[in-house]
Amino acid sequence: MSCPGTRLFELGCLLNGRPQVRDKAMRVVICGGGVIGVCTAYFLRRLGVDVIVVERTEVAAAASGKAGGFLACDWCAGTPLDALARRSFALHAQLPEEIAGDWGYRPMSAYGGYVASDGDPRRTAPSALGWLSDGVVIAQRIGTTETTAIVHPQKFTSAVMTAALAQGAELRPGRVTGIVRDPHGTRAKGVEVEGSIIEADAVVIAMGPWSLLAAQWMSLPAVYGQRSPSIVYDLGSNVPADALFLECETDGGAVSIEVFPRADGSTHITALSDIAPLPLDPAAVTPDRDAIARLQAMSERLSPLFRPDKIIAQQACFRPVTEDGLPLIGPVPQSDGLYVATGHNVWGILNAPATAEAMAQLIAEGGTRQVDLAPFDPARLVPLDPSLLQAR
């Protein structure tokens, strides 16, 4: 499958009987060291492209290090994300055979249910899963070891970055402050990083919700940040490989709480997403104290294993979302050599490999092979007015 405007390129490749070979290696600068950026670096290096990743804080500093890491093959069925998710789920299963390191990839089951309220007759009934408290009702299995899995997101992102570096990619610290263009202003020729210039043949914006800042330099739709608090417990092997998606009644109404046991013995619990101002520095992201307190109370209701002394992290991250809920993946409108990959919302870890594979093919070869990126074309949405960012 191909993106618009690549037919002539593909026809030339078919007539020649082989992919295009360049006299000089192409160089791509990737802005952002999150899971999307580092996976794109890895797949570009596999195609022989020179890659420089620019990251202002550290690899996996934001959502890529603090997400749940849950993977689902078919939970996007019937949506434009379906093909991307299925391809990416398959790639997640393959990558442990290709990349050194242990990021806790393992298949798992997933269950849906609810926490019985005080007036519910099932409040004192034993749970179908023995490690859960009475009144935690498991209503159905919603994922099997064939269709759902998990990774440790920080370890996964770091391992992929290490693999890309081993293949010749570079990682440079710094904050991207602008795009360098040709004299006509139509083609990107690199990036400005706090006063210095890094030349490139193409630039990829993959800064999660901070991709919003790039709208100062190019025609991009708005990317918003949705904050998600989480608590991580160290429970060892006491919790089986079962993800939980539960409805819980609180004073503020019904809340969805998600529980993700990982292979390293940690269990990630999240709920209570909200909208909050996005700090300019990812390192400045902190959780709301009230949200953490509510999440801890809900966690302790789920199981006696979730004791305060078992908490190893109380944190928050901002997930990038777009106006229509679909990611931005593809060429930036009105700018040759500029690309964007962000806005994956809750499916960033899942869809990172297939997004990166498609982006690498698009940049290096002119078209994609496994996934059609047309539904994610940035041009589908109205660009953000850059004057709205001047105060930032």
Side-chain angles (χ1 to χ4, degrees), residues 28 38 63 76 188 235 242 282 335 351 373:
V28 176
V38 305
C76 296
L235 301 183
D242 299 325
S335 298
N351 286 328
L373 295 180

Side-chain angles (χ1 to χ4, degrees), residues 35-377:
V35 68
I36 302 296
V38 305
C39 284
T40 302
Y42 174 75
F43 280 97
L44 279 169
R45 282 305 302 146
R46 283 178 37 164
L47 295 178
V49 176
D50 288 343
V51 179
I52 298 173
V53 177
V54 180
E55 166 57 42
R56 66 176 293 172
T57 307
E58 62 183 8
V59 170
S64 299
K66 298 175 182 176
F70 180 72
L71 314 174
C73 175
D74 56 3
W75 286 23
C76 296
T79 77
L81 287 168
D82 187 41
L84 185 72
R86 290 178 186 273
R87 175 61 181 169
S88 218
F89 189 82
L91 286 172
H92 270 290
Q94 296 173 19
L95 287 174
E97 304 298 322
E98 301 174 8
I99 297 177
D102 180 9
W103 53 88
Y105 171 82
R106 68 171 175 178
M108 70 191 316
S109 298
Y111 294 92
Y114 64 94
V115 180
S117 59
D118 290 338
D120 192 313
R122 302 192 65 173
R123 178 72 174 185
T124 59
S127 178
L129 299 179
W131 66 278
L132 297 176
S133 298
D134 293 350
V136 179
V137 180
I138 301 301
Q140 60 182 328
R141 186 169 70 173
I142 54 179
T144 71
T145 53
E146 299 296 319
T147 61
T148 48
I150 199 165
V151 298
H152 189 295
Q154 192 276 335
K155 294 179 181 179
F156 173 71
T157 306
S158 297
V160 177
M161 185 74 257
T162 298
L165 293 172
Q167 293 183 8
E170 295 182 52
L171 175 62
R172 297 191 189 180
R175 180 172 60 92
V176 177
T177 52
I179 300 296
V180 180
R181 300 177 184 271
D182 66 5
H184 302 288
T186 58
R187 170 169 286 278
K189 302 298 292 182
V191 296
E192 177 184 326
V193 181
E194 298 174 308
S196 64
I197 302 298
I198 302 177
E199 296 182 353
D201 301 294
V203 175
V204 178
I205 302 298
M207 302 187 296
W210 289 273
S211 299
L212 174 73
L213 301 177
Q216 300 172 94
W217 320 313
M218 63 193 73
S219 178
L220 273 184
V223 181
Y224 307 97
Q226 188 166 19
R227 185 172 60 175
S228 294
S230 58
I231 299 177
V232 183
Y233 290 84
D234 181 11
L235 301 183
S237 59
N238 292 321
V239 178
D242 299 325
L244 304 178
F245 295 81
L246 306 171
E247 294 297 315
C248 182
E249 292 288 338
T250 68
D251 294 339
V255 172
S256 296
I257 185 168
E258 302 173 0
V259 180
F260 302 120
R262 295 167 174 163
D264 68 349
S266 65
T267 297
H268 180 280
I269 301 183
T270 187
L272 305 168
S273 296
D274 65 357
I275 300 297
L278 180 69
L280 285 177
D281 186 352
V285 174
T286 57
D288 178 79
R289 290 185 178 182
D290 290 341
I292 288 293
R294 291 176 62 200
L295 182 57
Q296 183 176 340
M298 287 189 287
S299 301
E300 292 173 3
R301 170 67 184 91
L302 296 182
S303 173
L305 296 177
F306 295 126
R307 304 195 311 265
D309 61 297
K310 294 295 184 179
I311 294 174
I312 56 177
Q314 296 177 327
Q315 58 193 16
C317 63
F318 281 85
R319 294 180 279 106
V321 297
T322 64
E323 184 179 342
D324 63 2
L326 295 177
L328 307 174
I329 312 173
V332 174
Q334 306 171 28
S335 298
D336 293 338
L338 276 180
Y339 301 84
V340 63
T342 189
H344 291 73
N345 202 338
V346 297
W347 296 119
I349 303 297
L350 167 64
N351 286 328
T355 296
E357 179 186 58
M359 284 291 291
Q361 293 169 0
L362 178 64
I363 294 169
E365 301 174 348
T368 62
R369 287 179 250 134
Q370 287 82 11
V371 177
D372 182 6
L373 295 180
F376 318 120
D377 187 348

